[in-house]
């Protein structure tokens, strides 16, 4: 079986053949005489070879009107409509090399996004944009470069690109906010968007479908954890005095908030605080009878908490915050801002 397959210009392209530099393409899959789609038809003459620079063909991708041919260490671009039904008048020229020092090492990682093609290289996840420029977009998650990516899908309803891995950590890029996140417990062999819902199949053959109204993952709670980088308010190696911080957010359900603090670029946390949000927190308009409460629209308590620092004079400070729930798992909380004094 052919390991690499893509469509381009109403044709099916195959690579990963016995000749690792050879590409085999079909006749057009649309019969222009009657506009009926017909099965792809292949013949031995409809092949061409790619420049050997950069190694063997490792992946294919479609970007605008360009077929992108990935090698281990280089990227090539092919344009044209190909030959007619008799194999004549082909306008496929030699694939042109895109100047770069990276290629694709995993065809399962290639995914089309509104910004361009994202793919995994030996250096991490890169973006080939609409102008064929390369950006190292995966720098924030390069600690996960050793994971084996099994699929890459675009969830445009949530502005997300989801890379699943066999090791169980999914790398999720929000292309609207330009931020990365990780999802745990996603031991995926493959994934797909089905009816605008993200689905994946696990190593054991189970199929999981995302449900945004449930806050458990196959029975296990899904908890939100976030970590700030080392903050040096007085510049690198400069001393600062940080008195306290305030966490501002929204209450979503019963939980406690665990705040851990590390100082002076130390990887180990040395201060721990547990915050218990008051059960008086409610939603505006939550009166049994609308407007019946002493405060018009219902009681409301601001979700804001103060954490005083044990070591005020330091060169850097890092914060990790997570919630803890014991039952009736809910969304817990959301964060709007963190303010330091």
């Amino acid at each position: 079986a052919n390991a690499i397959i893509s469509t381009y210009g109403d044709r099916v392209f195959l690579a990963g053949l016995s000749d690792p530099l050879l590409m085999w393409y079909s006749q057009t899959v649309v019969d222009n005489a009657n506009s009926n789609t017909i099965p792809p038809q292949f013949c031995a003459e409809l092949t061409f070879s790619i420049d050997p620079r950069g190694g063997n063909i490792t992946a294919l991708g479609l970007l605008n009107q360009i077929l992108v041919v990935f090698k281990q260490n280089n990227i090539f671009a092919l344009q044209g409509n190909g030959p007619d039904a008799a194999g004549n008048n082909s306008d496929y020229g030699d694939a042109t090399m895109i100047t770069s020092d990276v290629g694709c090492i995993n065809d399962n990682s290639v995914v089309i996004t509104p910004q361009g093609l994202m793919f995994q290289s030996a250096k991490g996840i890169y973006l080939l944009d609409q102008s064929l420029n390369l950006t190292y977009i995966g720098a924030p998650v390069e600690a996960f470069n050793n994971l084996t990516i099994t699929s890459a899908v675009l969830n445009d309803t949530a502005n997300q690109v989801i890379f699943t891995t066999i090791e169980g950590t999914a790398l999720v890029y929000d292309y609207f906010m330009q931020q990365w996140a990780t999802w745990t417990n996603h031991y995926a062999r493959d994934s797909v968007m089905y009816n605008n819902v993200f689905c994946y199949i696990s190593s054991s053959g189970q199929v999981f479908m995302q449900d945004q109204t449930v806050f458990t993952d196959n029975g296990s709670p899904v908890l939100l954890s976030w970590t700030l980088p080392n903050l040096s308010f007085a510049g690198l190696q400069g001393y600062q005095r940080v008195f306290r911080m305030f966490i501002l957010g929204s209450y979503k359900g019963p939980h406690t908030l665990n705040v851990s603090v590390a100082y002076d670029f130390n990887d180990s946390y040395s201060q721990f605080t547990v915050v218990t949000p008051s059960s008086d927190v409610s939603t505006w308009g939550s009166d049994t009878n609308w407007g019946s409460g002493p405060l018009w629209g219902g009681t409301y308590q601001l979700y804001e908490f103060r954490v005083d620092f044990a070591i005020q004079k330091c060169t850097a400070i890092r914060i990790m915050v997570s919630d803890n729930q014991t039952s009736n798992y809910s969304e817990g909380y959301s964060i709007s801002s963190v303010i330091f004094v």
Side-chain angles (χ1 to χ4, degrees):
N2 298 290
I4 304 170
I5 185 170
S6 181
T7 58
Y8 172 63
D10 294 330
R11 301 177 189 268
V12 177
F13 278 73
L14 304 177
L17 308 172
S18 56
D19 182 345
L21 297 175
L22 191 68
M23 296 188 63
W24 193 11
Y25 58 93
S26 72
Q27 296 274 20
T28 56
V29 296
V30 176
D31 184 354
N32 293 321
N34 54 26
S35 298
N36 291 329
T37 301
I38 59 176
Q41 299 174 333
F42 292 85
C43 67
E45 287 76 19
L46 299 183
T47 62
F48 60 85
S49 294
I50 296 293
D51 191 309
R53 287 176 294 177
N56 301 333
I57 299 173
T58 56
L60 299 174
L62 187 62
L63 183 60
N64 297 331
Q65 300 300 314
I66 298 173
L67 178 65
V68 179
V69 182
F70 291 99
K71 303 288 204 72
Q72 186 86 13
N73 301 306
N74 284 114
I75 305 173
F76 290 81
L78 178 72
Q79 299 186 67
N81 298 313
D84 56 29
N88 301 318
N89 304 312
S90 175
D91 59 353
Y92 288 151
D94 292 334
T96 57
M97 188 171 70
I98 299 172
T99 302
S100 70
D101 61 349
V102 298
C104 179
I105 62 171
N106 185 348
D107 64 303
N108 292 326
S109 68
V110 179
V111 57
I112 183 67
T113 76
Q115 285 74 33
L117 281 175
M118 293 180 69
F119 63 94
Q120 182 186 27
S121 75
K123 299 181 180 181
I125 297 176
Y126 271 74
L127 170 70
L128 181 66
D129 66 22
Q130 307 283 358
S131 301
L132 302 182
N133 297 315
L134 282 165
T135 302
Y136 183 31
I137 202 169
V141 290
E142 65 181 8
F144 302 94
N145 284 353
N146 62 324
L147 301 184
T148 305
I149 294 177
T150 55
S151 70
V153 296
L154 174 74
N155 182 358
D156 55 4
T157 60
N159 302 321
Q160 294 173 336
V161 182
I162 305 168
F163 297 88
T164 64
T165 70
I166 197 64
E167 291 84 0
T169 298
L171 308 178
V172 184
Y173 180 68
D174 187 317
Y175 55 83
F176 179 76
M177 299 300 296
Q178 298 183 18
Q179 294 286 333
W180 284 93
T182 56
W183 293 348
T184 58
N185 198 32
H186 282 60
Y187 298 90
R189 287 288 182 181
D190 206 348
S191 66
V192 69
M193 292 299 299
Y194 175 73
N195 288 338
N196 293 322
V197 177
F198 172 70
C199 308
Y200 75 88
I201 184 169
S202 70
S203 301
S204 60
Q206 292 178 295
V207 176
F208 293 91
M209 178 179 291
Q210 189 179 49
D211 185 348
Q212 296 188 359
T213 65
V214 177
F215 298 95
T216 58
D217 188 1
N218 195 27
S220 300
V222 179
L223 303 176
L224 173 63
S225 175
W226 48 275
T227 305
L228 297 179
N230 283 298
L231 302 175
S232 298
F233 298 110
L236 189 63
Q237 295 299 309
Y239 276 89
Q240 62 197 351
R241 188 177 292 278
V242 186
F243 296 95
R244 63 190 64 92
M245 78 172 187
F246 293 91
I247 299 175
L248 180 65
S250 298
Y251 183 90
K252 303 291 186 179
H255 67 282
T256 57
L257 210 59
N258 305 312
V259 182
S260 303
V261 186
Y263 299 95
D264 297 324
F265 299 101
N266 195 326
D267 291 335
S268 299
Y269 294 95
S270 59
Q271 179 181 341
F272 305 93
T273 303
V274 177
V275 176
T276 303
S278 171
S279 59
D280 293 334
V281 175
S282 63
T283 304
W284 183 86
S286 62
D287 290 339
T288 303
N289 295 316
W290 186 80
S292 63
L295 296 176
W296 182 75
T299 59
Y300 176 75
Q301 179 173 325
L302 183 65
Y303 188 94
E304 182 179 35
F305 304 102
R306 166 180 163 176
V307 177
D308 293 312
F309 296 127
I311 302 176
Q312 294 184 354
K313 193 173 183 181
C314 55
T315 58
I317 192 168
R318 186 173 76 250
I319 310 297
M320 179 176 69
V321 178
S322 62
D323 66 322
N324 184 48
Q325 303 179 41
T326 57
S327 62
N328 299 321
Y329 300 109
S330 65
E331 189 174 353
Y333 73 110
S334 66
I335 289 295
S336 301
S337 64
V338 178
I339 300 171
F340 291 87
V341 178

